[in-house]
Amino acid sequence: MIAWESAGATNVGRVRRTNEDAYRIDAGHGVFVVADGMGGHAAGEVASALAADSVLESLTKPANEPLHHDPDRSIIDAFAYARRRIVECSASDRRTEGMGTTLTLALLSTDGTLRVGHLGDSRLYHLRAGELDQLTEDHTWVRQEVRAGRLDPGAARTHRYAHVLTRVLAADEHTPPDILKASVEPGDTILLCSDGLHNHLDTGSLRDVLRSDDALPELVSRLVQMANERGGTDNITAVLVRIR
Ligand code: CA
């Protein structure tokens, strides 16, 4: 049996006027979510909050008590439910038409199983024994080109299309999330974050912060502060989970 502690923060950054990121933590159910919304007017904020609330609601509703019998199915169902809510909202309010969001979700079980549902370019990292691995794949055009061998990884970061997403949660997209599975053990740390963090902090910088034994709320604040010091060009969101 493992236990965990967690902390999260979101920050508007230094350039944007609104924060379209959202995060949710339900430590009791072991559910952690980061979403980064997009769409005109206030639609991005609506999309990320609605999606994050919907997956949390779906995964923690009492009728889902047998959740852990088929958690992969439950995660896919939760994403489908979130998408339906976005479809309904877009249909009833023209201002939210075309809105979408990234959605990265971690589901922890006390047996040490980590399951991840993922769409978009928010990320989930796993720190073990001082080494940091990015478990999620960015659903971006540049990442697709790098995988196909048509673009140099070094050029991808600064490419003019670096922020073009190939898969998100949106009304007109029917793509299911990536489902990943990993095991965690005491001493491991998980980071979920939006691109406003990982655009400014590379894997080495993130690793150096996460290696610290300081309290999680302090580490989350430090991550946000570092992203702001390096420009804060986008909304910044980080959720940390430490396994005990
Ligand atoms: Ca963003």
Side-chain angles (χ1 to χ4, degrees):
M1 290 273 282
I2 58 160
W4 48 78
E5 54 186 328
S6 57
T10 188
N11 183 276
V12 69
R14 293 171 61 191
V15 175
R16 305 283 177 94
R17 280 188 299 175
T18 57
N19 190 347
E20 299 188 320
D21 285 0
Y23 76 91
R24 299 289 185 271
I25 291 175
D26 184 333
H29 288 95
V31 182
F32 308 89
V33 188
V34 165
D36 176 353
M38 58 215 67
H41 306 288
E45 284 167 77
V46 174
S48 59
L50 184 59
D53 284 336
S54 300
V55 286
L56 197 58
E57 180 194 332
S58 178
L59 285 171
T60 59
K61 65 188 173 195
N64 247 357
E65 276 312 319
L67 166 67
H68 297 289
H69 293 190
D70 191 352
D72 291 356
R73 182 79 253 164
S74 300
I75 292 174
I76 290 169
D77 289 349
F79 273 68
Y81 175 63
R83 190 183 153 269
R84 284 202 303 278
R85 296 287 306 276
I86 283 182
V87 170
E88 288 165 11
C89 183
S90 312
S92 64
D93 183 350
R94 282 186 64 90
R95 287 170 301 178
T96 62
E97 211 175 295
M99 68 177 172
T101 185
T102 76
L103 192 58
T104 301
L105 173 156
L107 175 63
L108 270 175
S109 310
T110 51
D111 66 357
T113 307
L114 165 67
R115 286 185 173 79
V116 181
H118 168 69
L119 276 178
D121 69 346
S122 300
R123 289 182 179 172
L124 185 140
Y125 294 88
H126 180 195
L127 182 88
R128 170 170 295 172
E131 292 308 317
L132 189 67
D133 284 327
Q134 180 188 336
L135 298 193
T136 50
E137 177 90 18
D138 292 349
H139 296 143
T140 56
W141 181 83
V142 288
R143 182 65 199 145
Q144 188 178 294
E145 293 302 293
V146 167
R147 275 168 71 100
R150 291 190 289 260
L151 186 67
D152 180 69
R157 220 180 159 75
T158 53
H159 197 282
R160 59 194 292 228
Y161 295 142
H163 300 288
V164 174
L165 299 177
T166 50
R167 290 165 63 194
V168 291
L169 191 81
D172 57 356
E173 296 227 14
H174 294 269
T175 170
D178 288 349
I179 301 287
L180 313 167
K181 191 176 166 187
S183 63
V184 293
E185 52 190 45
D188 290 4
T189 301
I190 298 159
L191 166 67
L192 294 91
C193 66
S194 63
D195 65 337
L197 184 74
H198 66 71
N199 279 338
H200 289 301
L201 276 73
D202 62 14
T203 306
S205 302
L206 293 171
R207 182 195 58 211
D208 291 347
V209 175
L210 267 55
R211 276 176 173 173
S212 163
D213 292 330
D214 292 347
L216 291 187
E218 275 177 47
L219 295 190
V220 165
S221 301
R222 197 172 304 161
L223 291 172
V224 169
Q225 186 188 340
M226 287 171 74
N228 271 325
E229 283 168 1
R230 297 176 186 194
T233 52
D234 196 359
N235 307 143
I236 306 153
T237 301
V239 170
L240 283 175
V241 188
R242 189 181 274 157
I243 312 300
R244 293 193 303 232

